[in-house]
Amino acid sequence: SMYYRDYDKGGKINAAILEKFRKDDVMGIFQYEGGTTRQVVRDVQPDNFDELAACGALSRPGPFYGGQTEDYIAVKRGEKDWKRIHPEGFDRHVEWTYGQIVYQEQIMWILRDLAGFDTARVLKVRKIIGKKLGEFQFAALWEEFRDGCAGNGISEEDALRVWGAITTAAGYAFNTAHAYSYALVAWWQMFFKINHVPEFFASSLAKNGDLEKNIPRRTSLLKD
């Protein structure tokens, strides 16, 4: 961020990059040229790098078909609001993603601050997430989560609401480093696509491959 502030003091380069993503000019852009991600970016219309990174995470099958992506977009557009649960234990951890759990770290922060899970417990949950063990493993932790939330004045109904979001997200959530690294590579590529056009397309075509399965993408790059 500091690099880009110093390099692009007027914000014109960054604005141009975001505009390219919003206009769906993403052919040849790492992780963002796939159909589902393109749809998510078109719907989200990212206003900053954080939202662009979230698009990559929200385009995965879990949030896309589970409703989280739809809710993220609706809240961003002002079409609905998100449920506040607890200012320190929940709200502050999801307000930057429009009330949705998008990343693994958000799950761990909520477990720690809303339910009072200690470090060992949080690390156990992280391992469950990392191994994609899903809802079955989480079921055994529900009562502990519910009781911890009660200690913070959270009703069982609200605790169950949050637990449902956590267990659903656990099956697909990216960690932030993963999503932001993908977005940064895509951001750099878009910079080259705007400012160094021959080099961008020459390198993209050179790396595309010549097998039959590579023909559709190569054709799209040539058309672009």
Side-chain angles (χ1 to χ4, degrees):
S1 296
M2 289 178 63
Y3 168 79
Y4 277 105
R5 283 198 298 270
D6 291 341
Y7 182 70
D8 187 21
K9 292 184 183 298
K12 292 181 180 180
I13 296 173
N14 289 344
I17 290 171
L18 279 169
E19 187 62 18
K20 280 277 195 179
F21 280 105
R22 287 194 290 263
K23 288 185 174 180
D24 196 31
D25 188 359
V26 293
M27 192 61 224
I29 303 300
F30 174 71
Q31 289 291 320
Y32 284 80
E33 60 185 339
T36 302
T37 307
R38 292 178 75 160
Q39 179 182 332
V40 172
V41 173
R42 286 196 301 267
D43 291 340
V44 170
Q45 290 290 290
D47 293 314
N48 51 56
F49 185 81
D50 290 322
E51 292 181 5
L52 183 67
C55 287
L58 291 167
S59 64
R60 303 300 155 177
F64 188 78
Y65 294 110
Q68 288 79 14
T69 302
E70 183 179 354
D71 288 342
Y72 181 103
I73 293 165
V75 174
K76 185 185 180 213
R77 290 177 175 174
E79 296 170 356
K80 65 183 294 185
D81 201 0
W82 56 278
K83 171 75 172 177
R84 274 71 173 175
I85 302 293
H86 187 280
E88 293 300 314
F90 180 81
D91 302 353
R92 71 188 179 103
H93 297 315
V94 298
E95 62 185 356
W96 59 292
T97 51
Y98 297 103
Q100 310 308 308
I101 297 176
V102 177
Y103 301 113
Q104 291 179 14
E105 288 86 348
Q106 291 174 298
I107 295 174
M108 293 186 283
W109 295 332
I110 292 166
L111 291 173
R112 180 193 66 193
D113 296 339
L114 190 67
F117 277 31
D118 62 21
T119 301
R121 219 56 169 151
V122 170
L123 291 176
K124 178 179 180 179
V125 173
R126 185 198 61 76
K127 184 178 291 187
I128 292 172
I129 295 170
K131 292 184 177 180
K132 300 186 184 301
L133 299 179
E135 294 189 25
F136 176 76
Q137 290 283 339
F138 275 93
L141 295 169
W142 153 244
E143 291 186 2
E144 185 180 353
F145 179 82
R146 178 198 62 199
D147 295 344
C149 287
N152 274 321
I154 306 300
S155 69
E156 183 166 343
E157 180 184 0
D158 282 342
L160 188 59
R161 183 194 303 269
V162 176
W163 187 250
I166 287 175
T167 53
T168 301
Y172 65 76
F174 276 1
N175 61 63
T176 51
H178 190 98
Y180 277 68
S181 296
Y182 276 5
L184 185 58
V185 172
W187 189 276
W188 285 340
Q189 281 192 303
M190 190 64 84
F191 172 87
F192 278 96
K193 187 170 186 178
I194 295 170
N195 296 284
H196 303 281
V197 180
E199 291 84 354
F200 171 82
F201 281 105
S203 59
S204 297
L205 286 163
K207 292 292 184 180
N208 185 73
D210 295 320
L211 300 176
E212 185 174 350
K213 67 179 182 180
N214 305 126
I215 291 175
R217 184 175 183 273
R218 183 167 70 245
T219 302
S220 295
L221 280 166
L222 288 167
K223 288 179 178 179
D224 206 41

